[in-house]
Amino acid sequence: MTAGTATAHDDAPVAPGTGRPVPLRLLIGGEWVAGGGAPLTSRNAAHPEQVVAEGAQAVPADIDRAMSTARAAQREWGRTPIHERGAVLARAAAVLEARADRHGLELAREEGKTLGEGRGEVLRAAQILRYYGGEGDRVAGEHFTSPRRGEQILVTRKPLGVVGIVTPFNFPIAIPAWKIAPALVYGNAVVWKPASTVPLLAMRFAEALTEAGLPAGVLNLLIGPGALGTELVRHPDLDGLSFTGSTGVGRTLAGEAASRGVPFQGEMGGKNAAIVLADADLDLAAEQVLFGAFRSTGQKCTATSRLVVAEEVADEFLAKLAARLDGWRVGDPSEPETHMGPLVTESAAAGVRDAVATAENEGARVLYRGQVPEGGAFVPATVLEVDAESLVWREELFGPVLAVHRAASMEEAFELAEDSEFGLSAALFTRDIATALDAVDALDVGILHVNSESAGADPHVPFGGAKKSGYGPKEQGAAAKEFFTHTTTVYLRG
Ligand code: UN1
């Protein structure tokens, strides 16, 4: 095995925010190469006139090259001891930790989340790499006794082979880490297509792995449009596809994968409720609902987009939330005092503005609307009181919009929270342990937070949704091996 070329470009690193756009490259077979497709320009979400990175996209022929180089590299990588594979991930974690400030700023510029969130996300990617870097020290399979004398039964794990990874814009480095780290440590090779709005951060993640000594061909990065993801899932040589993104795209890819017998893992929409009951600590709840609904400008699949609040405390709670929003500074995310940046693109912002206007025309009552700067893809923090038919109650907007509904009882609150085809996460605010235990039974969600915001996920525990939010095995922790490996059951006699 030979190590790939470490960095994507020979130029000295450009100080983010000051210099020339970073040249975009694809990673195929360990070489950083220019794409053969249409030009791609990655712009600063707050200042669209500033170009963050630019280059040419991949074409379908690049998928063929990436797939065949991945297939060849996987044979040796899959036979490499898991501790050696893990050591590569741990070294990549150290690379990202050393560059957290620089890449955090690049992330804030390219995607639009704040500097603190951007830096935090780079460190989170490092934490995920470290977690999977230690996988060799954990339980690898199972051992059963046999009903027959002189026999034992072992269940061992093997990589799928060459897996496709399709990732969204909203966590440009953490979501790739939580798919690619387990894929690699379990011995798979990867062909990765990140969202075309965040190509620079994708390159940064791939650079960390190549600099850490990942062998050539084990990870291939293809930058390109959404259609490239469809081409990838249609490739006859693919052994699995892991996707995070919109429900519509996820269902299309799941259908393509199913028709070819390719295992599919999909993390899709959410319409996550925060439930604030009358006995809750209202100050804590206001802080956490603020974070859940408006951090990352509401662009998390785990964001709080619905609020169910007990009637008797609703006015008091909403006043506390509005007071916190008054202190929320919206602006350029690369300025340290900013709390909320723009949406990822102007077209994403236009979609959210349209949805809010439609809801208002249909009778939604505006409880709060914040200020935004001129220009850029900004949308004000918006709180709307709605009925359960409203589109902002039912559809995921992926923006800083909170739909509110009052509840007359705990039972009604749980019913309202359950009134969604999605079931990714929920947050419950109460001081009563019996109510919290009732919620564990009543709420059909993949992740339940009691007295904390609906977003957030630790690397060592399962992540994923119930109902229409998820498809296939869960992600992260030990759950990730359910997707990235298959079992061989060995009936062993001497
Ligand atoms: C988080 O809640 O911190 O796309 C992570 C998403 C999720 C990740 C959420 N898959 O937003």
Side-chain angles (χ1 to χ4, degrees):
M1 283 186 288
T2 51
T5 319
T7 41
H9 48 90
D10 301 327
D11 320 40
V14 174
T18 56
R20 293 163 287 128
V22 178
L24 293 173
R25 298 280 183 271
L26 318 179
L27 178 63
I28 300 176
E31 299 297 327
W32 288 100
V33 295
L40 179 74
T41 304
S42 171
R43 295 181 179 278
N44 182 326
H47 302 286
E49 71 286 357
Q50 291 177 18
V51 175
V52 176
E54 62 190 353
Q57 311 188 48
V59 290
D62 294 320
I63 301 182
D64 287 330
R65 287 201 297 136
M67 287 296 297
S68 62
T69 183
R71 177 66 63 201
Q74 195 274 328
R75 285 186 203 106
E76 184 57 28
W77 180 245
R79 283 195 287 259
T80 302
I82 188 168
H83 287 82
E84 281 179 36
R85 297 194 299 247
V88 175
L89 302 193
R91 288 196 296 273
V95 172
L96 290 182
E97 281 158 356
R99 295 182 189 157
D101 286 343
R102 188 175 132 214
H103 293 344
L105 178 55
E106 289 174 336
L107 202 166
R109 298 184 71 228
E110 185 168 63
E111 193 270 351
K113 67 179 65 173
T114 64
L115 203 52
E117 289 174 307
R119 185 173 182 279
E121 190 186 326
V122 175
L123 292 174
R124 182 176 183 174
Q127 186 193 13
I128 293 164
L129 286 164
R130 274 198 200 288
Y131 171 80
Y132 284 106
E135 187 62 8
D137 292 342
R138 300 192 190 105
V139 174
E142 288 174 298
H143 171 231
F144 291 83
T145 52
S146 168
R148 289 162 295 277
R149 287 167 198 268
E151 184 178 85
Q152 303 200 21
I153 306 173
L154 309 180
V155 181
T156 64
R157 296 264 172 184
K158 293 185 182 156
L160 293 181
V162 177
V163 294
I165 303 282
V166 177
T167 54
F169 76 84
N170 64 329
F171 283 91
I173 196 159
I175 289 179
W178 86 30
K179 292 180 188 296
I180 292 170
L184 295 178
V185 86
Y186 295 124
N188 299 282
V190 169
V191 178
W192 172 29
K193 197 217 87 68
S196 58
T197 39
V198 287
L200 176 57
L201 264 290
M203 242 171 55
R204 297 311 192 206
F205 184 67
E207 282 173 348
L209 281 158
T210 52
E211 287 180 42
L214 189 73
V218 173
L219 172 66
N220 301 274
L221 167 63
L222 300 177
I223 291 166
L228 207 66
T230 314
E231 295 290 332
L232 182 57
V233 70
R234 287 182 182 153
H235 197 283
D237 209 23
L238 195 72
D239 297 316
L241 187 86
S242 180
F243 166 83
T244 294
S246 72
T247 305
V249 174
R251 287 181 187 168
T252 304
L253 294 181
E256 293 281 356
S259 71
R260 288 168 175 74
V262 171
F264 179 81
Q265 175 185 54
E267 177 55 51
M268 300 184 256
K271 194 69 203 175
N272 313 300
I275 305 166
V276 179
L277 295 178
D279 72 328
D281 175 336
L282 295 186
D283 289 310
L284 169 85
E287 174 195 65
Q288 295 294 308
V289 170
L290 175 84
F291 291 164
F294 300 109
R295 270 186 177 165
S296 295
T297 325
Q299 298 173 114
K300 296 182 188 180
C301 62
T302 46
T304 301
S305 54
R306 295 184 300 147
L307 169 68
V308 180
V309 57
E311 219 152 49
E312 57 266 56
V313 295
D315 289 337
E316 185 186 351
F317 177 77
L318 291 164
K320 285 180 186 292
L321 184 61
R324 284 180 186 270
L325 278 167
D326 282 338
W328 199 244
R329 189 177 179 285
V330 181
D332 185 332
S334 61
E335 290 167 8
E337 61 278 15
T338 297
H339 294 102
M340 190 173 97
L343 273 81
V344 63
T345 57
E346 180 49 45
S347 73
V352 176
R353 288 185 206 116
D354 281 357
V356 170
T358 307
E360 281 185 64
N361 287 337
E362 290 175 351
R365 194 157 68 88
V366 180
L367 300 180
Y368 189 90
R369 178 171 281 140
Q371 305 289 320
V372 285
E374 293 285 308
F378 290 98
V379 171
T382 306
V383 182
L384 298 171
E385 184 145 17
V386 299
D387 61 39
E389 307 310 315
S390 172
L391 110 169
V392 292
W393 184 259
R394 314 211 77 85
E395 284 174 25
E396 184 178 46
L397 302 191
F398 234 58
V401 181
L402 181 64
V404 179
H405 204 302
R406 297 173 200 237
S409 64
M410 181 189 86
E411 289 71 25
E412 197 199 355
F414 289 178
E415 271 167 33
L416 282 163
E418 277 295 282
D419 178 30
S420 173
E421 62 171 328
F422 299 116
L424 181 54
S425 69
L428 172 72
F429 295 90
T430 180
R431 288 181 163 111
D432 181 20
I433 186 74
T435 305
L437 287 172
D438 283 347
V440 173
D441 289 336
L443 302 178
D444 199 9
V445 287
I447 296 141
L448 176 61
H449 289 264
V450 179
N451 295 314
S452 61
E453 60 158 310
S454 63
D458 281 331
H460 63 300
V461 289
F463 177 90
K467 296 170 30 185
K468 300 279 168 53
S469 289
Y471 192 105
K474 298 273 171 91
E475 303 188 271
Q476 302 227 92
K481 72 156 86 76
E482 299 302 327
F483 182 71
F484 287 109
T485 67
H486 71 85
T487 56
T488 298
T489 304
V490 184
Y491 294 86
L492 183 66
R493 297 186 196 179

